[in-house]
Amino acid sequence: METAKWMEQAEEAILHTYNRFPVVLDHGEGVYLYDTEGKKYLDFAAGIGVQALGYGNQKYNDALKMQIDKLLHTSNLYYNQPIIEAAEKLCKASGLDRVFFTNSGTEAIEGAIKAAKKYAYDRDGTTDHEIIAMEQSFHGRSLGALAVTGNAHYREPFEPLPGIVKFAKYNNLQSVSDLVNDKTCAILMETIQGEGGIYPAQEEFLAGVKQICQAHDILLILDEIQCGMGRTGTMFAWQEYGVKPDIMACAKALGCGVPVGAFVMTKRVADSSLKPGDHGTTYGGNPFVGAAVSKVLDLFEEQRILEHVQEISGYLKERLEELAAEYSCIMARRGRGLMQGLELKSAVPAGEVSAKALEQGLILITAGNNVLRFIPPLVIEQEHVDEMAAILGNVLREYHP
Ligand SMILES: *Cc1c(COP(=O)(O)O)cnc(C)c1O
């Protein structure tokens, strides 16, 4: 009853841009969430890849509480200690050199695009530069981020969108090189496509794109917003490919629940792109998010998160493969590390499966064209993988009479 009442109130007050699951979440502990009626859910979505450390990490919570009592916000007209430390740690973790903190992933993409355009402008003195992005990509909902998002459904009502953007086929190097001309200033892609349906870049593809970029002084921008921050067993997914971007966008797990993103670049790009006055933000990189990012990066080391992901992700893959072998409605398993997808036959709608899983106490979301998406907190253990597989098996059994 209580849930229905909250839902009714929500629809009266909140703009209806989401069809939400009929659950009011109340609190979390470890890898479990609880709703306002006390029902417990195993969380395999992590707030869309945000809650890497799970819920109720005491050291993280304490660091935030201390910073709240000390100083929340200063504006970027002044220095603050927590964000300087956070930036240093992010540079060290990425091997990149200069950070700009934003309030979201979308804004990190916006900033990365501006940096690439400014780089080309300073070099050529012209403004009509082009960006190559990928089909089926997702980079955010602002006009700039939408302009590079390869999904007609999201884009259409808002066209024309800013900038000159051309879309290549992901994992098809020829289709990228066909679009390159002397106006191309950046090639932008997710290292692993998330919303589009969990498609990892192929090694040769990413290496090939990097070569094209180097040959033509084009900047490689990698969107690591979903696949970064340890999700694949390295701090950033590109580190496993050995292909370093000129600019990287990150967000989601960067703050583990505090709204923060960042675009991070090499010194070479920093020295010849955005200068004082070219970009800014009121909130971005305030002491509060600084304390969060700084603590998250510390805890990743302290809790050996990368090692844990390397260990546990093999087990997740194994159990997903078992499900795929058992249920013929599963057409494919894809992904890397703790970013996995199961593509289902169209007769078995992924949205329906995820709704039924929720009823049975498993939070599971979808992606792309009928894909179940597995992006749990990075701190899951084997028993949680087993619990997930048992519930999902129960649900899928209904489709296999
Ligand atoms: C979530 C996401 C974004 C947008 O981030 P927001 O924080 O929602 O603005 C951009 N790119 C990718 C790959 C994402 O997964």
Side-chain angles (χ1 to χ4, degrees):
M1 242 11 338
E2 201 190 340
T3 297
K5 192 176 144 285
W6 279 119
M7 287 170 62
E8 208 173 285
Q9 280 178 238
E11 298 313 328
E12 287 299 315
I14 297 170
L15 188 69
H16 193 142
T17 57
Y18 281 92
N19 290 317
R20 293 180 161 84
F21 290 102
V23 166
V24 185
L25 294 173
D26 183 66
H27 63 281
E29 194 54 56
V31 297
Y32 292 95
L33 282 163
Y34 297 81
D35 68 18
T36 46
E37 298 179 8
K39 184 172 166 183
K40 183 179 180 182
Y41 301 87
L42 173 64
D43 182 13
F44 259 68
I48 320 189
V50 168
Q51 299 285 342
L53 297 171
Y55 303 92
N57 184 303
Q58 202 54 54
K59 287 180 175 171
Y60 171 82
N61 290 357
D62 287 344
L64 293 198
K65 287 174 196 168
M66 284 219 330
Q67 191 60 46
I68 286 173
D69 286 337
K70 206 172 170 192
L71 186 62
L72 275 180
H73 178 81
T74 56
S75 91
N76 281 303
L77 303 178
Y78 312 93
Y79 294 98
N80 79 75
Q81 257 176 314
I83 207 65
I84 297 168
E85 286 168 12
E88 284 175 348
K89 288 172 191 172
L90 189 52
C91 287
K92 182 159 169 267
S94 63
L96 293 164
D97 307 306
R98 297 288 185 272
V99 186
F100 184 103
F101 284 101
T102 66
N103 309 294
S104 67
T106 299
E107 285 169 87
I109 292 293
E110 293 278 341
I113 293 171
K114 279 183 70 176
K117 288 197 170 193
K118 186 67 184 347
Y119 175 90
Y121 172 81
D122 283 353
R123 182 191 56 203
D124 304 346
T126 57
T127 56
D128 52 351
H129 293 101
E130 303 178 2
I131 292 170
I132 298 174
M134 301 296 146
E135 292 177 6
Q136 267 123 49
S137 61
F138 182 82
H139 299 292
R141 305 293 201 142
S142 66
L143 294 174
L146 205 49
V148 289
T149 288
N151 180 326
H153 175 70
Y154 290 163
R155 301 164 51 91
E156 211 174 73
F158 308 105
E159 284 176 344
L161 292 162
I164 307 168
V165 182
K166 295 179 169 171
F167 289 96
K169 289 192 164 47
Y170 197 64
N171 280 332
N172 181 332
L173 194 58
Q174 188 62 45
S175 90
V176 176
S177 62
D178 285 350
L179 296 177
V180 172
N181 61 40
D182 57 7
K183 289 289 168 198
T184 312
C185 70
I187 300 177
L188 163 65
M189 66 166 134
E190 294 150 271
T191 318
I192 301 171
Q193 288 190 332
E195 305 297 318
I198 315 293
Y199 289 94
Q202 288 161 6
E203 315 255 342
E204 321 78 68
F205 178 67
L206 193 51
V209 169
K210 174 78 182 180
Q211 263 179 3
I212 292 175
C213 288
Q214 280 173 324
H216 299 89
D217 195 18
I218 295 168
L219 299 183
L220 175 62
I221 306 174
L222 290 180
D223 181 340
E224 287 263 336
I225 291 168
Q226 191 163 153
C227 62
M229 290 300 292
R231 183 146 295 280
T232 63
T234 49
M235 201 62 196
F236 298 101
W238 55 262
Q239 289 168 328
E240 201 189 351
Y241 289 78
V243 172
K244 190 174 176 175
D246 299 289
I247 308 174
M248 162 180 84
C250 59
K252 290 203 162 88
L254 180 62
C256 282
V258 164
V260 57
F263 58 102
V264 192
M265 60 185 79
T266 61
K267 183 171 183 305
R268 183 179 78 86
V269 175
D271 286 344
S272 17
S273 62
L274 299 174
K275 296 282 153 50
D278 286 333
H279 200 52
T281 165
T282 298
Y283 284 133
N286 77 15
F288 182 61
V289 304
V293 172
S294 195
K295 198 61 183 181
V296 165
L297 291 167
D298 284 351
L299 289 173
F300 264 65
E301 282 195 16
E302 241 178 87
Q303 295 186 206
R304 302 172 56 80
I305 295 291
L306 299 182
E307 290 83 346
H308 179 70
V309 171
Q310 288 158 21
E311 279 166 30
I312 194 74
S313 58
Y315 189 68
L316 173 62
K317 243 183 263 180
E318 224 174 86
R319 297 306 311 263
L320 293 178
E321 290 290 356
E322 274 173 34
L323 286 166
E326 191 170 347
Y327 297 103
S328 60
C329 65
I330 300 174
M331 286 165 64
R333 182 202 60 80
R334 286 191 297 270
R336 282 184 173 235
L338 290 182
M339 185 168 179
Q340 297 287 329
L342 288 181
E343 185 172 339
L344 304 180
K345 281 186 181 156
S346 57
V348 180
E352 199 178 287
V353 171
S354 93
K356 287 184 179 174
L358 187 75
E359 279 172 27
Q360 297 194 31
L362 169 65
I363 291 185
L364 196 58
I365 56 176
T366 64
N369 194 3
N370 220 29
V371 176
L372 292 174
R373 169 164 40 165
F374 303 81
I375 46 170
L378 305 184
V379 294
I380 53 156
E381 301 287 349
Q382 286 202 1
E383 66 197 78
H384 306 123
V385 176
D386 290 339
E387 189 183 345
M388 176 281 293
I391 297 177
L392 184 55
N394 277 341
V395 173
L396 292 177
R397 204 161 299 131
E398 292 179 34
Y399 296 92
H400 291 262

